[in-house]
Structures are given as C-alpha cells and as structure tokens.
Amino acid sequence: MTAQRFALRLLAGYRPSAVQRMALATQNATTQRRALATQNVTSQTTADSGELYDVVIIGGGPAGCALAAALGSLDSLSRKRVALVDPGKLSEMRQWTPPADAYLPRTLQITSSNKRYLDNLGLWQWCFEDRVQAYNRAVVTDALGGGAVDLAAMTLHGRNDTAFMVETKNLVSGLLKALDHSSSCVDVVERARVTEIEATPSMWPVVTLSNSRRLQARLIVGADGASSRVRKYAGIGTYGTEYAQYGLVATLCLEQLNSSAFQRFLPSGPIALLPFPGGFANLVWSLDSELVQLLKTAPEAIFADLINAAFRLTPAEMGYIYSLLRSGVDPDIIGAEVAWRLDVFARNNPDTNIKLPPRVAALSPRSRTSFPLRMRMVDSLVANRVALIGDAGHVMHPLAGQGLNMGLADVQCLAQVLEQAAAAGEDLGSAAVLDRYNSQRYVRNLAMQGIVDKVWHVFGAHSGTVATLRSLAMNGLDRLPAIKSRMIHAFMQ
C-alpha cells in the first residue's frame, strides 16, 4: 500500500493496525534518509566549510587509487562526489612510460583473488600486463636446520592459486588511467598536501590543503601510509614491534628465465628472489642496519655474488664473507673467495638446483634501496567519519608478501559496504556503516599480522633445537601436497 493511498483511507475513517503503522513509519524514515544521502552537493560551498564531498580519500598510493577507482566504477555511487588527494604528481604517474630494459625495485605481490577483483572492475587491463609475472611456485628453505618446502599451487575448487608480481608504479599508473578513462564521480586533486583536518559543528570534518582548497566530507578515508595524518587526526592509537632491520630491495638480472619465487631464512634475516619477465627478478633481503649499509655500498658485481652465496652457502660461510666486507678487504679478493666457495658448493651438491634460484648475473644499476621493517597495529580501523585502509591501518613484515593484499582486501570490503549503504540511502560516514567495515576487516588484519610476526620470530631463533624442529616441520609439510595446496589457497584468497 502506498503512502498516498494509506492517507486517503485514513481520511475515510480507516483505522490502521499496529503493524501497518510501523510499516508506514519505516517507509517515511527510509524516504527521508534517501533524500538526505542523495542530495546534490556539487554546487554547495560555504566560506567556512569549503567544497562538499561524500568521500575524500587521502593518499594516492596503490590502496588509495584502488579505492578511488573501485568507487568510481560502481553505479550506486555515480551520484556521489569522491575526491582523491595526494601531494605527488599523479598526472605524471598516470602517463608513466616503463623503461624498455629494466624493472623498478619497488614491487608488489598480488594474490589471485585480488587480481580477479581488479579484473572484474575493469581496472587491471590498464596496467602494462607484459610487465607482470604470474607464478604459482615458491621454494622456502631454512639455512640453519636444512629444512625445505616446495609450495607449488594446485587447482583447488576449480581455481588455480597464482600470484602476480607487478611494479608499484605500473599498478598505480594503471589505476589512474582507469580513473581518467571512466565517467566516474572521482575528482583527482594532485600536488596538494594536507595541512589540517578539523571537525566542524556540522560534524563533517574539513580537510585543508596546501593549495588553499577546503574539502568537507561525510567520510575521510586514510590511505596515507604508515605515518598517516588521517589516523592521527582521528586519535586512533597504534602499537607494534620494531624489527631492528631494514628491507634491502634491488632489481636483478638472472642467468636464465625464471617463473618461481625463492626464499631462504638466514640467521641475519630472510632473503627472497621474486620473478619478473625476461629473466629479471626482484630482491627483498632483510638485514640489520650495519649489513644494509655494507651491502648497499658494495660494488655491484660483489653484491650479485653475495646474493648467489646467500642462497647456497652456510651461515658460517656468510658470516666470514661479511667479516671481509667489514674489514675493507679488496673487492677482487672477496669476489674470488665467494666464487671459490660457490664452486665447491656446486661440486658437492649436484642435485640441488631444483631447490635453488637461477644465479644472478648482474644487478640493475642504481636499483638498490632500503626501508625500515616494523609491525604496526591500530586500535580500530574507524573513528568518527574516518576509515583507514592499507598501511594507514596495518604495517607488517614483507616476508609473506601480504601487505598490499591486506590493503586490497580493505578496499574490497569498504567499497562493498559503501555500495550497500548508498543503495539503502544511508549516510556513508555514519557509525553504523563504518562499524560494518571494521567488524569485517579488523580481526582478519590482526590475524594475518600475528601469523607473519610469529613466522619471523620462529625463523629468527638461532637455537639448534628450534632450528631442528622447524626443519622437521618443513620437511614433513613438503610430503603433504594436499595440506600445502590448502595453505596456499588460504594465503591467496
């Protein structure tokens, strides 16, 4: 029964039941809520509040751009105003032309489920797909205990759990291109730094930018990294662990083509070699600050030799080579020492090549860089009209390659929650809407951070007993393909 017909019947003396009165009240409330949520704010500006937006995303990295592109692709949000704000030159990033003979050292691993999500939204196609490497095999070894597990993905429930390696710039550039070629509601505000975020009497926070623009939003999304200004404004507390290590990354040229990932846990920290097309690879090596500086400044040829050694030699041999570096021994002598030890290893271990990465032939010039390793958790992913995604809401060790994947899972969840809220006529920044996002993502993020942190501590233990037990576990797991496949599936979804 429509409201009009119901009113006519009331005038005629009809007495509604309690259920009908409740239904009419609910209908009227829904109508009012939809009117409030769908009001056209395009031309609404005031001197003290600034331009009005439904969602303002702070941070134009992978997570922020992915959310902006996702929101811009949803029909239910087509009448909403969304802004993506970043201090960088996003227009130049969008027009990025990749080098023909090299890969960038800043890379990302994307799971099959996250790649499908970007595909389904029509976003992935804007990346340079010939620069993306798919892989479904990872070999993990323990230098102290000698354990090894070959994690080759199998088809499970009709899906093959393949991971994808992509350069960070390639992904961000593709997402910005997708935004540029769509008829979305997203305004890209580049070269604008956030100078202030303040609450207002209307309860919609106002973001003041370095270009003097003021953006008032129903919802602010913090996608501005580990030192998030949005998180600080919202008063969301953080806690975690400093690993007292740095991640050293570089681009490598291998002696042969490769489509598998390799990781070895050393007493000094894990080293990983991740595949890229054309015989290139990405290196992620966890080391303390002293070793990072030694290896960053070592001659490129010596550095390539040290990578080969780190995947093959014993911890004692690596310790001796590090002592030569510390003592300032001539690089030619160090190179000869490493070459001799690698030759001895090859002669004594003729059947281990299947568990080893191809040898590194050279290092891409000037590709070495480093960043501190830490774990950061937050008290909540939401606050009053604020939501956090990506590194603004969680930071973790890169040993499992799950950092961006957690961020993309945040994006999927928040986009879905906002889509449902818009369809129901709800206020996108209301506590009820944001609580749904927090309840779905907060515990899952904590669980993944906890798993990765425990792995780091278990493999960081130098005790002979611990090394023996973890290697027994790895070797046992290697003989159980069904369990391995389910474990990979869990990480890839």
Side-chain angles (χ1 to χ4, degrees):
M1 182 184 297
T2 66
Q4 292 85 353
R5 288 178 60 192
F6 194 83
L8 290 173
R9 293 187 66 179
L10 284 176
L11 291 174
Y14 171 73
R15 294 178 63 82
S17 68
V19 173
Q20 288 172 319
R21 290 196 300 270
M22 290 176 62
L24 181 61
T26 301
Q27 181 179 353
N28 289 336
T30 300
T31 301
Q32 294 171 0
R33 191 170 67 245
R34 286 180 184 274
L36 176 64
T38 58
Q39 62 182 323
N40 185 357
V41 299
T42 302
S43 61
Q44 296 184 34
T45 59
T46 63
D48 55 352
S49 66
E51 306 165 67
L52 301 185
Y53 281 88
D54 293 285
V55 182
V56 172
I57 303 167
I58 307 297
C65 287
L67 180 63
L71 298 183
S73 70
L74 299 174
D75 292 338
S76 63
L77 295 171
S78 60
R79 297 184 62 186
K80 305 297 183 185
R81 291 194 75 196
V82 179
L84 173 66
V85 179
D86 190 82
K89 301 175 182 178
L90 295 184
S91 57
E92 292 184 8
M93 178 71 78
R94 183 178 63 245
Q95 298 165 2
W96 175 67
T97 300
D101 57 351
Y103 284 80
L104 304 181
R106 291 287 191 175
T107 65
L108 303 164
Q109 175 191 283
I110 296 181
T111 63
S112 54
S113 61
N114 280 327
K115 194 260 188 184
R116 280 195 299 271
Y117 176 72
L118 298 177
D119 256 336
N120 292 338
L121 293 180
L123 307 178
W124 185 261
Q125 63 178 323
W126 294 100
C127 298
F128 292 96
E129 293 192 60
D130 60 330
R131 296 179 68 86
V132 176
Q133 177 66 55
Y135 74 95
N136 60 7
R137 177 175 179 251
V139 179
V140 182
T141 56
D142 180 10
L144 275 179
V149 57
D150 192 333
L151 299 170
M154 298 187 299
T155 299
L156 186 67
H157 305 309
R159 285 182 173 173
N160 194 308
D161 294 314
T162 302
F164 299 84
M165 291 301 304
V166 59
E167 296 154 291
T168 303
K169 272 194 175 181
N170 190 5
L171 178 62
V172 173
S173 175
L175 294 170
L176 290 171
K177 282 185 210 147
L179 271 175
D180 191 50
H181 286 81
S182 71
S183 55
S184 73
C185 55
V186 180
D187 295 335
V188 177
V189 184
E190 62 175 339
R191 307 186 192 200
R193 180 175 50 84
V194 174
T195 60
E196 186 180 15
I197 306 175
E198 55 185 327
T200 64
S202 69
M203 298 304 293
W204 287 22
V206 174
V207 180
T208 303
L209 305 179
S210 56
N211 59 7
S212 300
R213 289 182 66 178
R214 290 167 57 82
L215 312 181
Q216 189 170 26
R218 294 180 187 270
L219 172 63
I220 297 177
V221 178
D224 47 346
S227 301
S228 171
R229 181 156 192 165
V230 174
R231 187 183 65 231
K232 293 173 183 175
Y233 155 76
I236 298 174
T238 64
Y239 58 100
T241 300
E242 296 287 342
Y243 289 116
Q245 286 195 322
Y246 286 77
L248 176 58
V249 298
T251 301
L252 313 176
C253 306
L254 307 180
E255 291 183 349
Q256 62 191 67
L257 298 178
N258 171 58
S259 59
S260 297
F262 296 86
Q263 185 171 52
R264 192 185 194 204
F265 286 92
L266 295 158
S268 56
I271 181 172
L273 185 147
L274 304 164
F276 268 92
F280 286 92
N282 179 243
L283 172 76
V284 184
W285 196 347
S286 301
L287 298 157
D288 63 39
S289 58
E290 181 207 15
L291 281 176
V292 161
Q293 291 305 314
L294 282 172
L295 296 184
K296 281 178 70 173
T297 56
E300 291 181 353
I302 296 298
F303 186 72
D305 288 340
L306 290 172
I307 297 169
N308 292 325
F311 276 102
R312 292 164 174 83
L313 302 186
T314 66
E317 289 178 297
M318 290 302 299
Y320 175 68
I321 294 168
Y322 293 151
S323 71
L324 297 181
L325 281 171
R326 293 187 183 98
S327 302
V329 173
D330 185 277
D332 290 339
I333 295 176
I334 297 176
E337 180 71 24
V338 174
W340 173 74
R341 291 180 181 274
L342 288 174
D343 182 62
V344 171
F345 174 87
R347 284 189 278 109
N348 293 338
N349 302 273
D351 301 322
T352 59
N353 283 338
I354 194 171
K355 299 285 188 183
L356 296 171
R359 288 176 64 118
V360 177
L363 178 70
S364 287
R366 297 177 299 280
S367 67
R368 283 176 283 186
T369 187
S370 61
F371 56 93
L373 300 178
R374 56 174 62 99
M375 178 179 66
R376 281 288 177 272
M377 302 174 177
V378 294
D379 293 332
S380 173
L381 289 172
V382 301
N384 182 38
R385 296 198 175 275
V386 168
L388 304 178
I389 62 173
D391 285 357
H394 41 77
V395 177
M396 61 195 299
H397 198 288
L399 67 86
Q402 291 299 306
L404 176 65
N405 290 301
M406 288 170 59
L408 289 177
D410 294 343
V411 168
Q412 290 189 54
C413 180
L414 184 56
Q416 183 182 51
V417 166
L418 295 180
E419 180 183 24
Q420 293 169 348
E426 295 180 271
D427 180 347
L428 300 188
S430 68
V433 171
L434 298 183
D435 283 347
R436 293 201 290 272
Y437 166 64
N438 193 61
S439 65
Q440 294 179 51
R441 289 302 308 157
Y442 183 71
V443 173
R444 292 188 180 186
N445 287 343
L446 284 182
M448 181 59 74
Q449 287 179 288
I451 290 170
V452 172
D453 183 62
K454 294 300 182 294
V455 170
W456 185 87
H457 279 95
V458 167
F459 280 92
H462 300 169
S463 164
T465 301
V466 174
T468 299
L469 290 175
R470 69 186 179 221
S471 290
L472 286 172
M474 293 174 71
N475 293 331
L477 177 63
D478 197 45
R479 298 184 180 95
L480 300 170
I483 295 179
K484 285 195 298 183
S485 186
R486 290 185 180 277
M487 185 174 71
I488 296 168
H489 180 76
F491 268 88
M492 290 298 173
Q493 298 308 308

